[in-house]
Amino acid sequence: MTDTRIAIVGIPGKWSTEVLADALEQRTGYRRVIDMADVELDLTHNRLLHKGDDLCKLDGLIVKKISAEYSPGTLDRLEMLRTAQSRGVQVFSDPEKMLRLIDRLSCTVTLRNAGIPMPDTCVTESPAAALAAVKQYGEAVFKPLFSSKARGMCVISAEQDDARIAASIEQFQRNNPMLYIQRKVELSGRDLGMVFLGGEYLGTYARVSQSNSWNTTINSGGRYEPYTPDDALIDLARRAQAPFGLDFTTVDVALTDTGPIVFEVSAFGGFKGALEGAGIDAAALYTDYVLKKLGR
Protein backbone atom coordinates (compact mmCIF):
# COMPACT_ATOMS: atom_id res chain seq x y z
CA MET A 1 0.00 0.00 0.00
CA THR A 2 1.11 3.57 -0.74
CA ASP A 3 -0.27 7.07 -0.22
CA THR A 4 -0.56 7.48 -4.00
CA ARG A 5 -3.94 8.77 -5.15
CA ILE A 6 -4.85 7.83 -8.72
CA ALA A 7 -8.43 8.02 -9.96
CA ILE A 8 -10.12 6.28 -12.88
CA VAL A 9 -12.09 8.27 -15.42
CA GLY A 10 -14.65 5.80 -16.66
CA ILE A 11 -18.19 4.50 -16.50
CA PRO A 12 -19.12 3.50 -12.92
CA GLY A 13 -20.29 -0.11 -12.76
CA LYS A 14 -18.82 -1.08 -16.13
CA TRP A 15 -16.52 -4.11 -16.01
CA SER A 16 -13.37 -2.57 -17.51
CA THR A 17 -13.63 0.55 -15.34
CA GLU A 18 -14.16 -1.44 -12.15
CA VAL A 19 -11.39 -4.00 -12.73
CA LEU A 20 -8.94 -1.15 -13.27
CA ALA A 21 -10.18 0.51 -10.08
CA ASP A 22 -9.79 -2.86 -8.30
CA ALA A 23 -6.18 -3.18 -9.47
CA LEU A 24 -5.35 0.35 -8.31
CA GLU A 25 -7.03 -0.09 -4.95
CA GLN A 26 -5.18 -3.34 -4.38
CA ARG A 27 -1.82 -1.64 -4.95
CA THR A 28 -2.43 1.80 -3.41
CA GLY A 29 -5.39 1.49 -1.06
CA TYR A 30 -7.13 4.34 -2.90
CA ARG A 31 -10.22 3.95 -5.07
CA ARG A 32 -12.09 6.62 -7.00
CA VAL A 33 -14.13 6.26 -10.19
CA ILE A 34 -15.03 9.49 -11.97
CA ASP A 35 -17.95 9.91 -14.33
CA MET A 36 -17.16 13.01 -16.38
CA ALA A 37 -20.86 13.92 -16.35
CA ASP A 38 -20.33 14.81 -12.67
CA VAL A 39 -17.22 16.96 -13.21
CA GLU A 40 -17.11 20.75 -13.13
CA LEU A 41 -14.33 22.82 -14.70
CA ASP A 42 -13.85 26.01 -12.68
CA LEU A 43 -11.57 28.10 -14.85
CA THR A 44 -11.84 31.12 -12.56
CA HIS A 45 -9.86 29.24 -9.92
CA ASN A 46 -8.26 26.70 -12.29
CA ARG A 47 -9.91 23.72 -10.61
CA LEU A 48 -11.42 20.48 -11.89
CA LEU A 49 -14.07 19.46 -9.37
CA HIS A 50 -15.72 16.08 -8.75
CA LYS A 51 -18.27 16.00 -5.94
CA GLY A 52 -16.58 18.99 -4.32
CA ASP A 53 -13.01 17.64 -4.52
CA ASP A 54 -10.33 19.19 -6.75
CA LEU A 55 -9.00 16.48 -9.04
CA CYS A 56 -5.93 18.65 -9.64
CA LYS A 57 -4.68 17.53 -6.21
CA LEU A 58 -4.46 13.87 -7.28
CA ASP A 59 -1.23 12.18 -8.30
CA GLY A 60 -2.70 10.78 -11.49
CA LEU A 61 -5.74 10.08 -13.64
CA ILE A 62 -6.23 7.04 -15.86
CA VAL A 63 -8.80 7.51 -18.59
CA LYS A 64 -10.45 4.15 -19.19
CA LYS A 65 -13.57 5.53 -20.86
CA ILE A 66 -14.44 9.18 -21.36
CA SER A 67 -18.11 8.59 -22.27
CA ALA A 68 -20.44 5.68 -22.99
CA GLU A 69 -20.67 6.71 -26.65
CA TYR A 70 -18.46 8.98 -28.76
CA SER A 71 -19.75 12.40 -29.77
CA PRO A 72 -18.30 15.90 -30.25
CA GLY A 73 -19.02 16.35 -26.53
CA THR A 74 -16.44 13.66 -25.83
CA LEU A 75 -13.79 16.06 -27.10
CA ASP A 76 -14.97 18.65 -24.59
CA ARG A 77 -14.53 16.17 -21.74
CA LEU A 78 -10.95 15.52 -22.80
CA GLU A 79 -10.29 19.25 -23.00
CA MET A 80 -11.45 19.57 -19.38
CA LEU A 81 -8.82 17.05 -18.29
CA ARG A 82 -6.10 19.27 -19.72
CA THR A 83 -6.62 21.61 -16.76
CA ALA A 84 -5.59 18.88 -14.32
CA GLN A 85 -2.64 18.09 -16.55
CA SER A 86 -1.56 21.73 -16.60
CA ARG A 87 -1.46 21.69 -12.80
CA GLY A 88 0.91 18.72 -12.69
CA VAL A 89 -1.46 15.75 -12.62
CA GLN A 90 -0.22 13.00 -14.92
CA VAL A 91 -3.02 11.78 -17.17
CA PHE A 92 -2.87 8.40 -18.90
CA SER A 93 -3.13 8.69 -21.85
CA ASP A 94 -2.34 12.33 -22.60
CA PRO A 95 -5.70 14.03 -23.39
CA GLU A 96 -4.30 15.86 -26.41
CA LYS A 97 -3.19 12.53 -27.88
CA MET A 98 -6.57 10.91 -27.24
CA LEU A 99 -8.31 13.84 -28.92
CA ARG A 100 -6.85 12.74 -32.26
CA LEU A 101 -8.54 9.35 -31.97
CA ILE A 102 -12.09 10.21 -30.96
CA ASP A 103 -12.88 11.72 -34.36
CA ARG A 104 -12.68 8.86 -36.90
CA LEU A 105 -11.47 11.18 -39.64
CA SER A 106 -8.59 12.50 -37.55
CA CYS A 107 -7.48 8.94 -36.81
CA THR A 108 -7.76 7.93 -40.47
CA VAL A 109 -5.79 10.91 -41.79
CA THR A 110 -3.00 10.27 -39.28
CA LEU A 111 -2.81 6.59 -40.24
CA ARG A 112 -2.77 7.29 -43.97
CA ASN A 113 -0.14 10.02 -43.54
CA ALA A 114 1.99 7.37 -41.83
CA GLY A 115 1.57 5.03 -44.81
CA ILE A 116 -0.58 2.48 -42.97
CA PRO A 117 -2.73 0.28 -45.27
CA MET A 118 -6.46 0.89 -44.76
CA PRO A 119 -9.67 0.10 -46.65
CA ASP A 120 -10.36 2.34 -49.65
CA THR A 121 -11.95 5.44 -48.13
CA CYS A 122 -13.88 8.45 -49.40
CA VAL A 123 -14.83 11.40 -47.19
CA THR A 124 -17.21 13.98 -48.60
CA GLU A 125 -20.26 16.15 -47.98
CA SER A 126 -21.41 15.64 -51.58
CA PRO A 127 -24.22 13.06 -52.05
CA ALA A 128 -23.20 12.72 -55.71
CA ALA A 129 -19.62 11.86 -54.76
CA ALA A 130 -20.92 9.42 -52.15
CA LEU A 131 -23.11 7.69 -54.73
CA ALA A 132 -20.12 7.40 -57.06
CA ALA A 133 -18.07 5.86 -54.23
CA VAL A 134 -20.76 3.24 -53.57
CA LYS A 135 -20.79 2.28 -57.26
CA GLN A 136 -17.00 2.14 -57.33
CA TYR A 137 -16.73 0.02 -54.17
CA GLY A 138 -19.64 -2.31 -54.91
CA GLU A 139 -20.50 -2.37 -51.21
CA ALA A 140 -19.70 0.54 -48.93
CA VAL A 141 -19.77 0.99 -45.18
CA PHE A 142 -20.97 4.42 -44.06
CA LYS A 143 -19.50 5.30 -40.66
CA PRO A 144 -20.31 8.15 -38.26
CA LEU A 145 -17.25 10.22 -37.39
CA PHE A 146 -18.02 9.71 -33.69
CA SER A 147 -18.90 6.11 -32.81
CA SER A 148 -17.48 2.88 -31.44
CA LYS A 149 -18.35 -0.81 -31.72
CA ALA A 150 -19.93 -0.23 -35.15
CA ARG A 151 -22.75 1.88 -33.69
CA GLY A 152 -24.58 3.91 -36.32
CA MET A 153 -22.80 2.27 -39.25
CA CYS A 154 -24.66 0.99 -42.30
CA VAL A 155 -23.85 -0.88 -45.49
CA ILE A 156 -25.08 0.42 -48.84
CA SER A 157 -24.85 -1.86 -51.89
CA ALA A 158 -24.34 -0.84 -55.51
CA GLU A 159 -26.73 -3.63 -56.53
CA GLN A 160 -29.60 -1.21 -55.86
CA ASP A 161 -30.68 1.35 -58.43
CA ASP A 162 -29.31 4.89 -58.14
CA ALA A 163 -32.53 6.25 -56.64
CA ARG A 164 -32.46 3.79 -53.73
CA ILE A 165 -28.74 4.37 -53.15
CA ALA A 166 -29.36 8.13 -53.10
CA ALA A 167 -32.24 7.68 -50.65
CA SER A 168 -30.05 5.61 -48.31
CA ILE A 169 -27.29 8.21 -48.47
CA GLU A 170 -29.78 10.99 -47.75
CA GLN A 171 -31.10 9.12 -44.71
CA PHE A 172 -27.58 8.55 -43.32
CA GLN A 173 -26.57 12.16 -43.96
CA ARG A 174 -29.43 13.53 -41.84
CA ASN A 175 -27.35 12.70 -38.77
CA ASN A 176 -23.93 12.70 -40.44
CA PRO A 177 -23.28 15.79 -42.62
CA MET A 178 -19.73 14.65 -43.37
CA LEU A 179 -19.94 11.29 -45.13
CA TYR A 180 -17.17 8.84 -44.20
CA ILE A 181 -17.33 5.92 -46.63
CA GLN A 182 -15.16 2.80 -46.81
CA ARG A 183 -15.08 -0.12 -49.19
CA LYS A 184 -16.62 -3.12 -47.41
CA VAL A 185 -13.90 -5.73 -47.04
CA GLU A 186 -14.31 -9.47 -46.59
CA LEU A 187 -13.33 -10.27 -43.00
CA SER A 188 -14.07 -14.01 -43.19
CA GLY A 189 -15.86 -13.53 -39.89
CA ARG A 190 -12.74 -12.44 -38.00
CA ASP A 191 -10.65 -9.39 -37.19
CA LEU A 192 -7.90 -8.73 -34.67
CA GLY A 193 -7.24 -6.55 -31.65
CA MET A 194 -3.50 -6.04 -31.12
CA VAL A 195 -2.66 -4.72 -27.65
CA PHE A 196 0.09 -2.21 -26.77
CA LEU A 197 1.24 -0.76 -23.45
CA GLY A 198 3.59 2.21 -23.61
CA GLY A 199 4.26 1.37 -27.25
CA GLU A 200 5.31 -2.20 -26.41
CA TYR A 201 3.39 -5.12 -27.91
CA LEU A 202 1.56 -7.33 -25.39
CA GLY A 203 -0.48 -9.76 -27.48
CA THR A 204 -3.37 -10.26 -29.89
CA TYR A 205 -6.93 -11.50 -29.71
CA ALA A 206 -9.43 -12.20 -32.46
CA ARG A 207 -13.06 -11.09 -32.61
CA VAL A 208 -15.01 -13.85 -34.33
CA SER A 209 -18.53 -13.41 -35.69
CA GLN A 210 -21.18 -15.84 -34.49
CA SER A 211 -23.92 -14.57 -36.79
CA ASN A 212 -24.56 -13.26 -40.28
CA SER A 213 -23.66 -9.74 -39.19
CA TRP A 214 -21.25 -7.89 -41.51
CA ASN A 215 -19.11 -6.88 -38.51
CA THR A 216 -17.46 -8.92 -35.76
CA THR A 217 -18.10 -6.67 -32.76
CA ILE A 218 -19.19 -8.16 -29.46
CA ASN A 219 -22.26 -5.91 -29.69
CA SER A 220 -23.23 -7.86 -32.81
CA GLY A 221 -22.73 -11.26 -31.16
CA GLY A 222 -19.04 -11.85 -31.79
CA ARG A 223 -16.74 -13.65 -29.35
CA TYR A 224 -13.05 -13.47 -28.46
CA GLU A 225 -10.46 -16.08 -29.41
CA PRO A 226 -6.65 -16.33 -29.13
CA TYR A 227 -4.57 -15.42 -32.17
CA THR A 228 -0.83 -15.56 -32.81
CA PRO A 229 0.33 -13.04 -35.43
CA ASP A 230 3.60 -13.16 -37.35
CA ASP A 231 6.34 -10.59 -36.90
CA ALA A 232 5.28 -8.60 -39.97
CA LEU A 233 1.76 -8.14 -38.58
CA ILE A 234 3.10 -7.07 -35.18
CA ASP A 235 5.36 -4.55 -36.92
CA LEU A 236 2.40 -3.15 -38.88
CA ALA A 237 0.35 -2.66 -35.71
CA ARG A 238 3.33 -1.11 -33.92
CA ARG A 239 3.76 1.40 -36.74
CA ALA A 240 0.02 2.16 -36.70
CA GLN A 241 -0.08 3.06 -33.00
CA ALA A 242 3.26 4.88 -32.91
CA PRO A 243 2.08 8.31 -34.23
CA PHE A 244 -0.47 8.60 -31.42
CA GLY A 245 1.86 7.94 -28.48
CA LEU A 246 -0.79 6.42 -26.20
CA ASP A 247 -0.04 4.70 -22.91
CA PHE A 248 -2.50 1.89 -23.62
CA THR A 249 -4.23 1.07 -26.90
CA THR A 250 -5.57 -1.61 -29.20
CA VAL A 251 -4.99 -1.61 -32.95
CA ASP A 252 -7.86 -3.07 -34.99
CA VAL A 253 -6.49 -5.12 -37.90
CA ALA A 254 -8.19 -7.21 -40.58
CA LEU A 255 -6.62 -9.90 -42.74
CA THR A 256 -7.75 -9.68 -46.36
CA ASP A 257 -6.89 -11.49 -49.59
CA THR A 258 -4.64 -8.57 -50.55
CA GLY A 259 -2.91 -8.31 -47.17
CA PRO A 260 -3.58 -6.88 -43.72
CA ILE A 261 -5.33 -3.54 -43.25
CA VAL A 262 -5.83 -1.34 -40.20
CA PHE A 263 -9.30 -0.07 -39.34
CA GLU A 264 -8.41 2.15 -36.41
CA VAL A 265 -6.35 2.71 -33.28
CA SER A 266 -8.40 2.82 -30.08
CA ALA A 267 -8.19 5.79 -27.72
CA PHE A 268 -8.76 3.51 -24.74
CA GLY A 269 -8.12 -0.13 -25.71
CA GLY A 270 -10.13 -3.25 -24.89
CA PHE A 271 -9.55 -4.91 -21.51
CA LYS A 272 -12.10 -7.72 -21.93
CA GLY A 273 -10.83 -8.83 -25.32
CA ALA A 274 -7.25 -8.79 -24.02
CA LEU A 275 -8.22 -10.98 -21.05
CA GLU A 276 -10.67 -13.39 -22.65
CA GLY A 277 -8.94 -13.66 -26.01
CA ALA A 278 -5.25 -13.35 -25.17
CA GLY A 279 -5.02 -14.05 -21.42
CA ILE A 280 -3.63 -10.55 -20.79
CA ASP A 281 -4.55 -8.94 -17.46
CA ALA A 282 -4.47 -5.43 -18.91
CA ALA A 283 -5.79 -3.81 -15.72
CA ALA A 284 -2.91 -5.16 -13.63
CA LEU A 285 -0.26 -4.42 -16.25
CA TYR A 286 -1.58 -0.91 -16.87
CA THR A 287 -1.67 -0.16 -13.14
CA ASP A 288 1.93 -1.30 -12.68
CA TYR A 289 2.95 0.77 -15.71
CA VAL A 290 1.29 3.92 -14.32
CA LEU A 291 2.83 3.47 -10.86
CA LYS A 292 6.26 3.06 -12.44
CA LYS A 293 5.74 6.21 -14.52
CA LEU A 294 4.84 8.07 -11.32
CA GLY A 295 7.93 6.71 -9.60
CA ARG A 296 5.92 4.77 -7.00
Side-chain angles (χ1 to χ4, degrees), residues 85-257:
Q85 190 179 44
S86 74
R87 287 187 52 192
V89 180
Q90 291 199 48
V91 183
F92 304 88
S93 294
D94 185 322
E96 288 192 57
K97 294 176 179 178
M98 287 189 287
L99 279 165
R100 298 169 62 202
L101 287 162
I102 300 300
D103 183 330
R104 176 170 277 110
L105 181 54
S106 176
C107 177
T108 299
V109 169
T110 300
L111 289 170
R112 289 302 298 132
N113 286 348
I116 302 300
M118 300 187 73
D120 292 338
T121 304
C122 172
V123 183
T124 182
E125 295 180 58
S126 165
L131 191 150
V134 171
K135 297 181 78 169
Q136 178 187 349
Y137 296 162
E139 276 190 298
V141 183
F142 282 65
K143 301 182 176 183
L145 293 184
F146 297 92
S147 75
S148 62
K149 303 184 186 302
R151 294 185 184 95
M153 298 182 186
C154 71
V155 177
I156 300 178
S157 172
E159 292 182 357
Q160 308 172 84
D161 60 43
D162 286 6
R164 292 186 65 185
I165 295 173
S168 296
I169 292 171
E170 180 183 3
Q171 182 177 4
F172 183 83
Q173 197 169 27
R174 288 172 190 163
N175 296 317
N176 304 279
M178 182 66 75
L179 298 167
Y180 180 106
I181 310 157
Q182 284 189 328
R183 183 190 297 273
K184 184 175 178 289
V185 297
E186 178 54 57
L187 298 179
S188 301
R190 176 195 309 267
D191 70 344
L192 309 176
M194 305 186 70
V195 186
F196 289 82
L197 178 64
E200 296 299 319
Y201 171 71
L202 295 183
T204 298
Y205 58 88
R207 285 175 292 255
V208 183
S209 176
Q210 300 297 295
S211 67
N212 293 324
S213 173
W214 62 270
N215 69 77
T216 63
T217 64
I218 303 305
N219 279 9
S220 298
R223 62 182 172 84
Y224 299 118
E225 287 185 354
Y227 187 87
T228 303
D230 59 25
D231 290 344
L233 199 58
I234 295 171
D235 180 65
L236 171 63
R238 181 178 286 110
R239 289 190 290 111
Q241 59 85 41
F244 301 100
L246 299 178
D247 292 298
F248 182 82
T249 190
T250 302
V251 182
D252 289 346
V253 180
L255 305 177
T256 74
D257 291 341

